Amino acid sequence: MPSRKAIEPAAAWTELVVTDADWDAAPAELLTAMLSQLVLIRTFEEFVLDLAAKGLIHGPAHSSIGQEGGAVGSCISLTSADTVNGSHRGHHQFLAKVLTHLHPDGIDPTKPVPDDVRDALLRTLREICGLDRGFSHGRGGSMHLQWNEAGAIGTNAIVGGGVPLAAGSAWAHKHAGTDAVAVSYFGDGAINIGSVLETFNLAAAWSLPLCFFVENNQYAVSTHIAEVTAETRLSGRGPGFGIRSWKVDGMDPLAVHLAMREALEHLRSGQGPALIEAEVYRYFHQNGPFPGSAFRYRTKEEEREWRRRDPLDTTARHIVRRGILAQDDVAGCIEQAKALMAELGEVILEPKPGGKPKEQRIKPEEWPDPGFVDEGVRGDLSELAGMTFTDLDNHPGELTESSFIGAIAGVLARRMETDPRVVVMGEDVHRLNGGTNGATRGLKERFPDRVLGTPISENAFAGLGGGLAMDGRFRPIVEFMYADFMWVAADQLFNQIGKARHMFGGTGKVPLVLRSKVAMGTGYGSQHSMDPAGVFATAPGWRIVAPSTPFDYIGLMNTALACDDPVVVLEHVDLYQSSGPNVPDDYDHYLPVGKAAVRRRGSAITIITYLAMTQHVLAAVEDVGIDAEVIDLRWLDRASLDWDTITASVQKTNTVLIAEQGARGTSYGGWLADEIQRRLFDWLDAPIERVTGGEASPSISKVLERAAVAGTEEVAAKLRQIAEV
């Protein structure tokens, strides 16, 4: 008969409950500071809902009325150096952090609201209304609130999407030698999402000072938590990952504060991440001014029961009971806040011309200039001003043949040696003598704390890299072993990293380099072979680099690492074992952004290509004997294309062929052909021709894989066809 032994988790899991004695022991200034924040946040959100009901909020108004206790109780002990991010329902989180930043000793509820608080509330209101003088010039609105100076690094409209970014902030705090912590707020819906659970694991494995703060408000839109998970005590997730965890009544701000105080002691002492589950309740529906009962997924009795535990009322009751303030003082604080919000409304609103009595509109001068719409998708590259750029034709060194893979390892080592901000991370980058292809050879031995072998969790470590880049103290190089894995982390790459700069007003920086390889021809099949250039070219925010020689790789990687935009550096397995022109031991030259290379001069046809396809094109041209001009793009994104070189060539040849290896459906050349015909139609004597792979992804079979991709033979066949016309 087998014996059985109960297994206890290594990490403690605690439910913290407070009593009147704890309220009696709490410092009076703590309680009045909490009251001030609760009143200001509640009144602010009530005003926002009123604007929404009048149609003056464009887009959603996800109020957190009822949930303020969790945000106030947790933020009031944070410093300005601590960072927080949150969810789409994040007004309270944002404001609690801002108010604590502005007045860390608390706001006296019996005195006039300070001017800096008034200004912050007005700026927040403007942002939620989509106005120019908001924090992000109205681009973020209700769901994307960011003020880095206050440590509020961004709320997020993708459920769970901000959690990996917070891990990057936590990593930066730890490795910059501070005791600052990061707090990521999310809800009962996000806790079942893969990126969140991946980040639990990564934060615990790397002992990051990250607090996972779960606002369990019971409902994801209209679906109750008991319908979607068997274990509704969500803090139980923490111990499974080795994370110290607390469960607390989120309607009780003091209970949250005491739990957070314990968590902060844990976090600041270097013991790894913490998790706090605060049970809260949103009084209104997912979006707008109506209760959930209006949509019949909650009962009015349930709503009444939760309202009896209102965090503002609870705090006020204890303050009055202890004689810290009189009931009239509390009422005066609330009336003052309402008067303030009415005053702020007068700043941005005016009577609607020709409207009904009391009908209002946003003042026209408050709106952003429509011409601002695309500014800040990428930076202006001013960070590269004064940099010296050299190419093959003007480099003073002597060119020799050298290996492509050696150039990768060499330039990464050189940049890590000269720039302590550079951090390399990815699966197996620290093992196997430089990862699966040797590209990071020798780096772990030389820079043990800055070469990070990650778990197999692309969402978590890509997002961590994104958060690290946005923090600004480090420059991450994230490796994806295969380009197909980008789809596993699509939210982090495209919704988070790619959109961040523009979404938060265009002034922030995201200096991240993503390395990944195109593996056609290796026999790895449909899920390890794709060329992602076409997809990245249509995703805003990213710059795209495609080096085809060792010299280009070094120069382009150096420029990518100097750039404050996210840059994806594509590599091709066919090039790893190749050799090409290079200057031995020179890992410090830079190639300019937006400069293509003309690999062959000609006048009969312009062939535009990139990456490993360049060599196939050159071989096909020699085989056919056609007088072609071959342009190796090097930079592929919309903002960095070398239109001067392309235009000069097309005006000379009047004929264009775009050649690439990859599948037709995700083709880079498809959108490039459209751009060329729009810009240069008058110079074209014939339709733009293209060579691509087939519709299907490459297969495992050697024969079928070769049939799925384009190479020298396909380019040669197309050139002969063109020559016969």
Side-chain angles (χ1 to χ4, degrees):
M1 191 71 161
S3 63
R4 292 171 178 81
K5 179 181 178 182
I7 298 176
E8 295 293 330
W13 180 20
T14 305
E15 182 171 9
L16 187 149
V17 180
V18 302
T19 65
D20 283 356
D22 297 300
W23 280 94
D24 290 342
E29 58 271 18
L30 170 67
L31 301 186
T32 56
M34 284 182 174
L35 178 68
S36 294
Q37 288 199 12
L38 289 164
V39 168
L40 286 169
I41 294 170
R42 173 71 60 84
T43 309
F44 179 92
E45 290 224 273
E46 288 173 342
F47 189 78
V48 167
L49 284 186
D50 183 55
L51 293 183
K54 295 175 180 177
L56 294 170
I57 300 289
H58 182 65
H62 298 109
S63 86
S64 56
I65 294 175
Q67 299 186 190
E68 303 95 339
V72 170
S74 57
C75 280
I76 208 159
S77 295
L78 300 179
T79 71
S80 295
D82 297 323
T83 49
V84 306
N85 72 359
S87 67
H88 60 285
R89 190 181 311 285
H91 302 165
H92 58 323
Q93 302 151 2
F94 177 80
L95 288 174
K97 187 64 169 73
V98 165
L99 294 173
T100 300
H101 161 70
L102 293 174
H103 292 273
D105 295 327
I107 300 168
D108 188 335
T110 66
K111 294 181 178 179
V113 176
D115 287 344
D116 56 358
V117 171
R118 178 191 183 280
D119 293 343
L121 292 174
L122 176 57
R123 198 174 175 191
T124 306
L125 184 63
R126 280 175 161 147
E127 184 59 42
I128 290 171
C129 291
L131 307 182
D132 182 56
R133 283 177 281 181
F135 286 98
S136 299
H137 301 283
R139 284 180 177 163
S142 172
M143 297 186 290
H144 307 289
L145 294 168
Q146 182 191 71
W147 189 20
N148 282 316
E149 181 184 327
I153 59 176
T155 55
N156 205 292
I158 303 296
V159 174
V163 178
L165 301 176
S169 182
W171 195 97
H173 292 325
K174 177 178 179 177
H175 290 269
T178 77
D179 71 345
V181 307
V183 182
S184 190
Y185 293 92
F186 55 94
D188 46 279
I191 202 166
N192 295 320
I193 286 176
S195 60
V196 175
L197 299 175
E198 286 181 21
T199 308
F200 282 6
N201 181 66
L202 187 58
W206 289 359
S207 196
L208 299 182
L210 173 58
C211 178
F212 300 99
F213 196 99
V214 188
E215 289 186 322
N216 182 358
N217 69 13
Q218 321 299 314
Y219 290 89
V221 186
S222 63
T223 303
H224 192 271
I225 186 174
E227 299 177 65
V228 295
T229 187
E231 175 53 271
T232 58
R233 299 171 301 171
L234 302 183
S235 46
R237 305 285 199 281
F241 289 92
I243 297 173
R244 175 75 172 90
S245 300
W246 287 260
K247 184 176 185 292
V248 68
D249 179 6
M251 306 299 280
D252 187 323
L254 182 62
V256 177
H257 166 69
L258 295 176
M260 187 56 144
R261 192 171 65 180
E262 292 182 11
L264 287 173
E265 182 179 352
H266 174 88
L267 292 161
R268 296 197 200 280
S269 62
Q271 299 181 64
L275 186 152
I276 297 175
E277 176 196 4
E279 290 191 317
V280 295
Y281 198 77
R282 55 173 166 85
Y283 293 168
F284 294 94
H285 180 53
Q286 164 77 355
N287 170 35
F290 300 103
S293 56
F295 300 88
R296 299 184 181 180
Y297 62 86
R298 300 195 305 208
T299 66
K300 292 182 179 180
E301 178 57 31
E302 176 185 310
E303 292 171 344
R304 282 194 294 270
E305 285 298 318
W306 280 93
R307 281 181 176 268
R308 290 189 186 105
R309 298 164 53 196
D310 186 276
L312 196 163
D313 293 344
T314 297
T315 304
R317 184 175 68 253
H318 284 290
I319 287 175
V320 172
R321 179 181 62 80
R322 286 184 53 185
I324 298 170
L325 294 177
Q327 188 64 52
D328 287 348
D329 295 323
V330 175
C333 175
I334 295 171
E335 287 306 310
Q336 178 180 245
K338 290 181 177 179
L340 172 62
M341 292 312 305
E343 176 190 335
L344 299 184
E346 291 178 1
V347 175
I348 66 171
L349 300 173
E350 66 180 13
K352 184 176 181 180
K356 300 175 182 178
K358 296 185 179 182
E359 189 175 7
Q360 294 175 298
R361 71 171 186 178
I362 301 289
K363 293 179 180 178
E365 62 268 24
E366 289 284 340
W367 293 109
D369 184 339
F372 183 63
V373 62
D374 286 332
E375 287 188 28
V377 173
R378 302 170 189 81
D380 61 5
L381 299 178
S382 58
E383 66 272 22
L384 306 182
M387 188 174 288
T388 299
F389 297 104
T390 56
D391 212 330
L392 283 173
D393 57 358
N394 62 359
H395 196 287
E398 181 181 350
L399 295 174
T400 62
E401 292 286 306
S402 64
S403 77
F404 196 95
I405 199 70
I408 300 176
V411 71
L412 295 182
R414 179 63 172 158
R415 293 285 69 80
M416 295 192 78
E417 179 183 274
T418 59
D419 188 347
R421 298 173 300 169
V422 176
V423 177
V424 172
M425 68 183 74
E427 296 160 8
D428 295 304
V429 296
H430 62 319
R431 297 276 194 266
L432 304 176
N433 195 26
T436 55
N437 294 99
T440 51
R441 183 172 59 247
L443 299 186
K444 181 65 175 178
E445 292 73 23
R446 295 181 62 187
F447 312 101
D449 296 330
R450 291 160 53 207
V451 178
L452 312 174
T454 66
I456 300 174
S457 54
E458 280 79 8
N459 263 305
F461 71 77
L464 186 148
L468 197 55
M470 293 175 213
D471 174 87
R473 286 174 284 185
F474 295 90
R475 287 187 174 260
I477 302 174
V478 177
E479 178 186 313
F480 275 17
M481 194 178 292
Y482 293 92
D484 306 71
F485 299 173
M486 294 172 181
W487 266 237
V488 177
D491 173 48
Q492 295 302 315
L493 297 181
F494 302 124
N495 277 325
Q496 310 298 339
I497 296 167
K499 293 179 181 177
R501 193 162 193 171
H502 181 266
M503 183 171 68
F504 290 121
T507 57
K509 301 174 181 179
V510 191
L512 177 143
V513 169
L514 173 65
R515 292 181 49 242
S516 195
K517 64 173 178 262
V518 178
M520 296 174 196
T522 61
Y524 269 71
S526 295
Q527 296 176 340
H528 285 68
S529 304
M530 78 170 298
D531 175 357
V535 176
F536 269 93
T538 60
W542 283 91
R543 295 187 187 269
I544 311 167
V545 164
S548 64
T549 71
F551 182 90
D552 282 6
Y553 191 95
I554 293 168
L556 293 171
M557 175 57 79
N558 282 333
T559 303
L561 281 171
C563 182
D564 287 334
D565 293 320
V567 182
V568 57
V569 178
L570 300 180
E571 302 165 11
H572 199 296
V573 290
D574 284 353
L575 296 173
Y576 282 155
Q577 304 309 315
S578 70
S579 61
N582 196 19
V583 179
D585 301 321
D586 174 20
Y587 297 110
D588 295 314
H589 70 269
Y590 294 79
L591 283 168
V593 175
K595 185 62 178 175
V598 179
R599 301 299 184 192
R600 186 186 189 281
R601 298 287 178 181
S603 59
I605 184 173
T606 298
I607 308 179
I608 301 173
T609 189
Y610 62 94
L611 216 61
M613 194 60 163
T614 303
Q615 298 306 317
H616 290 291
V617 166
L618 291 171
V621 168
E622 292 305 311
D623 180 41
V624 175
I626 194 170
D627 185 23
E629 185 146 290
V630 178
I631 299 175
D632 180 355
L633 289 174
R634 300 200 290 204
W635 293 86
L636 307 184
D637 58 277
R638 187 184 300 272
S640 308
L641 272 173
D642 186 353
W643 283 109
D644 290 342
T645 296
I646 293 171
T647 300
S649 183
V650 173
Q651 288 176 345
K652 176 173 55 175
T653 68
N654 311 117
T655 307
V656 176
L657 170 64
I658 301 173
E660 58 189 314
Q661 279 191 299
R664 191 175 303 132
T666 54
S667 165
Y668 173 79
W671 83 266
L672 179 58
D674 178 70
E675 286 287 324
I676 292 173
Q677 69 91 14
R678 289 176 187 276
R679 291 171 180 253
L680 304 174
F681 181 79
D682 290 344
W683 296 94
L684 294 171
D685 289 344
I688 297 170
E689 296 283 358
R690 292 172 54 207
V691 171
T692 72
E695 180 180 356
S697 302
S699 304
I700 295 293
S701 165
K702 184 175 183 179
V703 172
L704 293 177
E705 181 177 44
R706 177 62 191 88
V709 302
T712 303
E713 293 83 354
E714 286 74 19
V715 177
K718 178 61 72 174
L719 290 175
R720 291 190 179 97
Q721 177 187 331
I722 293 171
E724 291 173 359
V725 174

